[in-house]
């Protein structure tokens, strides 16, 4: 069984990750992981914390000579800001003045009551999106596992606040990376940056929408057998499991609800001996299984709940009205979220790919893949 776990507080000593179930014999390039970590830190609209951190992954277990051993991988990303927060966050001696005013939209309030914490810091430290750095590192490991199967994932931004990009048929990864907001349309990127600047000046924050596109997925990943084995459910669950995400759509998503069946599906036809589809409204998944078309997911995130112009709230200790706590934060995390979304999709795809092709070594898993692909090509 493939699985992963992360641990770590935002201002604690480090983030820790474990990835269990990858085959032996996979060559890992640490530079690819660090490049993904840098991309997550870079998006326009990030706050001052990103100037402190320089995320880098260190391997503690499961790797020898840059090749996986088949044993669990253990990785660490250190939090540089811990040095500034040692008195507050030291695992043995940390203490400080409690945070008392929950931010509407944040984990603060529910977490305080759930865990019986009188200091909201004990909730926000784990709720913080700092933890997504580890997901990106683990996702970049999975990207390298998926690569030999031809599976590639790209996240890009479609909307920030009220600024929306035109729909993209084809997306160029280089154009995405070249944009400070990871939107492949240059003019829309400029409008998005202006919207972020305006929100910042107003003490406000902005949400938005990003696409995660997975190309090269062979037919038949995931299954229709059970609710928990459906690929759309697995991917949507992974993406909803990100901080700030409020909606995930597959393909045409919610828009099909208003369409008649004649305009909601993807017709079949033969073209020079090959099966072709008239469109990709299903977003690459039919009956909970990949159908050979690109998998297209659209993910919407809320504006982050830490506003410099604080929302009305309460002081839990005084049981009185008081503005929400103001802490250092970002204005817009949508570009960063698109990188985290890429990572979550890679993590979510790895289990079902391993279930389909199996194997304890990369060699064995790729043999199974090649045999399966050849057999399917001769089926009809
Ligand atoms: C976050 C608040 C900010 C963000 C942080 C998420 O951190 P700080 O409280 O240290 O200023 O920078 O994001 C990250 C640290 C990161 O690596 O993404 C929050 O409250 O969620």
């Amino acid at each position: 069984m493939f699985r992963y776990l992360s641990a770590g507080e935002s201002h604690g000593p480090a983030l820790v990750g474990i990835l269990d179930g990858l085959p032996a014999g996979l060559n890992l390039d640490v530079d690819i992981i660090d490049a993904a970590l840098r991309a997550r830190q870079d998006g326009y609209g990030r706050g001052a914390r990103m100037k402190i951190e320089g995320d880098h992954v260190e391997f503690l277990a499961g790797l020898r000579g840059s090749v996986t051993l088949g044993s669990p991988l253990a990785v660490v990303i250190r939090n540089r800001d811990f040095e500034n927060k040692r008195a507050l966050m030291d695992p043995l001696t940390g203490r400080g003045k409690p945070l008392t005013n929950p931010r509407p939209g944040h984990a603060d309030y529910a977490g305080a009551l759930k865990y019986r914490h009188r200091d909201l810091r004990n909730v926000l430290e784990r709720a913080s999106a700092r933890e997504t750095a580890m997901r990106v590192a683990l996702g970049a490991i999975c990207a390298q596992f998926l690569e030999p199967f031809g599976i590639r994932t790209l996240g890009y931004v479609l909307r920030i606040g009220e600024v929306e990009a035109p729909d993209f048929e084809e997306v160029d990864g280089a154009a995405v990376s070249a944009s400070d907001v990871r939107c492949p349309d240059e003019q829309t990127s400029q409008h998005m940056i202006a919207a972020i600047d305006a929100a910042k000046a107003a003490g406000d924050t902005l949400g938005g929408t990003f696409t995660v596109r997975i190309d090269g997925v062979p037919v038949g990943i995931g299954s229709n057998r059970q609710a928990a084995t459906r690929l759309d459910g697995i991917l949507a669950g992974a993406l909803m499991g990100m901080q700030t995400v409020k909606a995930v759509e597959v393909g045409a998503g919610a828009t099909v609800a208003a369409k008649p069946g004649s305009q909601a599906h993807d017709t079949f036809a033969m073209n020079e001996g090959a099966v072709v589809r008239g469109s990709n409204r299903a977003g690459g998944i039919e009956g909970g299984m990949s159908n050979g078309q690109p998998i297209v997911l659209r993910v919407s995130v809320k504006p982050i709940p830490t506003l410099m112009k604080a929302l009305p709230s309460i002081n839990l200790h005084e049981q009185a009205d008081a503005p929400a706590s103001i802490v250092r934060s970002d204005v817009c995390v949508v570009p960063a979220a698109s990188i985290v979304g890429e990572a979550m999709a890679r993590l979510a795809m790895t289990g079902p790919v391993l279930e389909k092709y199996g194997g304890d070594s990369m060699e064995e898993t790729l043999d199974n893949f090649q045999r399966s692909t050849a057999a399917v090509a001769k089926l009809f």
Side-chain angles (χ1 to χ4, degrees):
M1 182 174 80
F2 170 79
R3 59 196 159 163
Y4 65 93
L5 275 176
S6 85
E9 276 68 47
S10 178
H11 304 94
L15 302 171
V16 179
I18 291 189
L19 205 54
D20 186 29
L22 277 185
L26 171 66
N27 216 310
L28 288 181
D29 183 343
V30 171
D31 290 343
I32 292 178
I33 306 170
D34 283 351
L37 289 171
R38 163 99 346 249
R40 192 197 70 94
Q41 288 194 265
D42 271 353
Y44 197 84
R46 300 285 263 148
R49 174 79 184 272
M50 289 303 100
K51 295 193 178 72
I52 299 171
E53 303 298 339
D55 291 340
H56 163 67
V57 73
E58 291 167 51
F59 281 85
L60 298 184
L63 203 64
R64 182 165 182 232
S66 296
V67 181
T68 58
L69 298 172
S71 51
L73 283 167
V75 299
V76 163
I77 299 169
R78 308 220 178 250
N79 292 323
R80 285 190 188 162
D81 207 20
F82 175 62
E83 292 312 322
N84 311 320
K85 299 269 188 336
R86 199 180 266 278
L88 195 62
M89 289 304 297
D90 187 279
L92 300 182
T93 59
R95 56 169 50 91
K97 192 169 166 279
L99 284 171
T100 55
N101 304 8
R103 287 160 288 176
H106 203 276
D108 294 344
Y109 178 76
L113 271 61
K114 175 177 171 64
Y115 297 105
R116 304 192 192 180
H117 283 316
R118 291 182 51 79
D119 181 354
L120 301 183
R121 175 164 298 285
N122 291 336
V123 181
L124 73 86
E125 283 291 336
R126 182 62 184 163
S128 164
R130 174 76 193 139
E131 183 261 343
T132 61
M134 182 49 71
R135 301 185 190 206
V136 168
L138 301 182
I141 295 172
C142 291
Q144 295 179 65
F145 164 73
L146 295 169
E147 175 75 36
F149 301 89
I151 302 173
R152 288 171 178 237
T153 307
L154 178 68
Y156 55 90
V157 172
L158 281 182
R159 166 189 285 276
I160 288 182
E162 291 188 353
V163 183
E164 193 177 10
D167 239 343
F168 301 103
E169 280 290 314
E170 291 288 314
V171 177
D172 174 9
V176 174
S177 308
S179 161
D180 285 341
V181 285
R182 293 187 58 79
C183 173
D185 186 73
E186 209 180 312
Q187 205 183 354
T188 310
S189 295
Q190 294 311 318
H191 292 147
M192 288 173 170
I193 287 169
I196 294 169
D197 289 341
K200 185 174 185 177
D204 216 329
T205 58
L206 287 178
T209 303
F210 62 87
T211 292
V212 175
R213 190 186 153 104
I214 316 170
D215 282 295
V217 183
V219 178
I221 305 296
S223 102
N224 56 348
R225 295 195 316 274
Q226 302 290 345
T229 61
R230 295 178 69 98
L231 189 61
D232 37 9
I234 291 169
L235 284 163
L239 288 156
M240 277 302 281
M242 282 169 62
Q243 298 84 338
T244 80
V245 169
K246 298 306 277 185
V248 181
E249 295 173 88
V250 183
T255 64
V256 290
K259 297 263 162 67
S262 55
Q263 292 167 37
H265 302 292
D266 308 309
T267 52
F268 285 99
M270 295 304 298
N271 184 9
E272 293 177 8
V275 176
V276 292
R277 307 298 297 261
S279 49
N280 187 18
R281 292 161 174 151
I285 301 176
E286 289 171 308
M289 295 169 281
S290 58
N291 65 8
Q293 296 237 77
I295 294 180
V296 184
L297 306 155
R298 190 187 281 251
V299 184
S300 293
V301 307
K302 68 187 178 190
I304 51 174
T306 309
L307 276 67
M308 291 302 134
K309 204 166 164 186
L311 292 173
S313 182
I314 50 176
N315 182 316
L316 287 167
H317 287 209
E318 293 170 3
Q319 292 285 290
D321 288 351
S325 299
I326 298 181
V327 293
R328 179 182 63 185
S329 192
D330 307 310
V331 176
C332 176
V333 295
V334 186
S338 73
I339 296 280
V340 182
E342 258 178 23
M344 292 311 291
R346 291 163 173 168
L347 283 159
M349 287 301 294
T350 297
V353 167
L354 276 167
E355 185 169 332
K356 171 86 178 139
Y357 302 117
D360 297 304
S361 68
M362 279 307 279
E363 215 175 319
E364 185 180 8
T365 311
L366 285 166
D367 273 353
N368 294 340
F369 167 62
Q370 276 144 15
R371 251 202 311 278
S372 167
T373 311
V376 169
K378 287 192 295 208
L379 192 60
F380 296 106

